[in-house]
Amino acid sequence: MSHTLGIRQAQKQKTRQALLDAALGLLEEQSLSSLGLREVTRAVGVAPTAFYRHFRSTADLGTALVEEALGSLHPMIRTTVSTADDSEERIARAVELIARHVDAYPAHVRFIARERHGGVQPVRDAIREQLARFGQEVKDELAKDPESAGWSDDDLLMLANLYVDQMLITASLFLEAQEATPQERDRVIQVATRQMRLISIGRHHWLD
Amino acid sequence: MSHTLGIRQAQKQKTRQALLDAALGLLEEQSLSSLGLREVTRAVGVAPTAFYRHFRSTADLGTALVEEALGSLHPMIRTTVSTADDSEERIARAVELIARHVDAYPAHVRFIARERHGGVQPVRDAIREQLARFGQEVKDELAKDPESAGWSDDDLLMLANLYVDQMLITASLFLEAQEATPQERDRVIQVATRQMRLISIGRHHWLD
DNA sequence: CCATGCAGTAAACAACTGTTCTCTGGAATT
DNA sequence: AATTCCAGAGAACAGTTGTTTACTGCATGG
């Protein structure tokens, strides 16, 4: 599908990715609104002016990071919600999936948690849009479940967003526990699992 | 109780408060890690060096803001959770209380939401500590409720933290809807109410 | 009433920022 | 083979930053 692009474009994308990676690293200890463009280029080893060949501003780079962090996550979410297991096992699977994702991409998770309410509006908007998509997709999967019979569209979306928020909270908990003891991590797993379970119980008795 | 303090101390606290207020204002459009101390003093109209008479750094000022934003909120939370009404009415009361608080102190709410996962560790820690206190207090109130019979301590705390997180999510939603149309605000009220209700239902059937 | 303490001032510091302009080497196109 | 294009370099710009040092004026306590 992807028409192999010339040496020219390849190098460009390489530098672009280097800028994104460097920025993501720097953002572990600060927030986007304090990230300087010179700081990023210095970390990569290119001239400050090279930055403009790829991004208009650090805010622009931020929205690109949002795409990188969340864009490829949609299929994963869909399949996780839709697998028609026993509810209890599905919860365990989801929690472990989140744990693995946080371990694999901690900087991405931190970035999203930090900039969701951060000081740069375009980035906040980009994150909100992605999360809204997640909400819709979760809702679509929930709608297929027999248990959703009799539910209004509004209520399904309400529940879907509750799940999405809960996933973010859980991811953030795993992030905090990342450098803690294994038993602390286990405690996070337990808490996250039970909170999900409680929500699922509420879902089950919603129409009573 | 408070021994009336002299002209000296009074003036000092006045400038200190002015610094806090100015910082809170500036933080509406950026995050703490990008807030400059000169920026703050300029907004107040004092010399940059005056800043050091009150705070070691902007991070220090940040933790003071955490105290200001959350410190006085504990009694309010306690009474809201403890009032032994019908569950449905209690939810409505809580949601409206959050709405009023966001209207009264939008900058405080934004600050907490932003810096909870922000780039300044001491501030993150201060917020986490306050939220943990909220969790404990909510748990204490829940424990008094007859419905909590048979619940383990861990599960009560798990539920309490779920409530606390839900309050923050709701506050953040109200913040976003603050400059939106009234019907958008009503939609937020509806969603928040139903999410709380679903959690309460889950709570009710937890021991099944 | 006088000496001390201390909130706030003023100036200077090296280091840093985003942005503009001009230039260059090599890939891409013809 | 000749030409165009463009990612990146380099230098310079006016402003900004945090922090130090020495100071001033006034409320405070003896």
Side-chain angles (χ1 to χ4, degrees), chain A residues 60-122:
Chain A
D60 189 22
L61 177 144
T63 64
L65 277 178
V66 173
E67 172 63 28
E68 181 175 292
L70 297 181
S72 66
L73 223 59
H74 295 273
M76 191 190 285
I77 296 276
R78 288 196 99 99
T79 59
T80 303
V81 178
S82 67
T83 47
D85 297 334
D86 160 60
S87 171
E88 189 63 26
E89 194 176 340
R90 174 160 47 184
I91 289 173
R93 187 187 305 245
V95 170
E96 190 178 316
L97 188 108
I98 293 170
R100 289 195 187 283
H101 186 77
V102 173
D103 271 352
Y105 308 96
H108 280 131
V109 174
R110 172 171 289 119
F111 171 74
I112 295 299
R114 184 160 293 170
E115 300 305 329
R116 182 186 186 186
H117 304 283
V120 184
Q121 215 195 36

Side-chain angles (χ1 to χ4, degrees), chain B residues 98-152:
Chain B
I98 293 170
R100 288 194 188 285
H101 186 77
V102 173
D103 272 352
Y105 308 97
H108 280 131
V109 174
R110 172 171 288 120
F111 171 74
I112 295 298
R114 184 159 293 171
E115 299 305 329
R116 181 185 186 187
H117 303 283
V120 184
Q121 213 195 37
V123 173
R124 285 201 307 269
D125 292 344
I127 294 176
R128 177 144 34 90
E129 187 192 308
Q130 290 281 344
L131 294 185
R133 276 184 57 195
F134 283 129
Q136 278 292 337
E137 288 162 1
V138 170
K139 179 200 149 192
D140 289 347
E141 296 302 326
L142 288 177
K144 297 177 187 170
D145 195 309
E147 199 175 341
S148 300
W151 281 62
S152 76

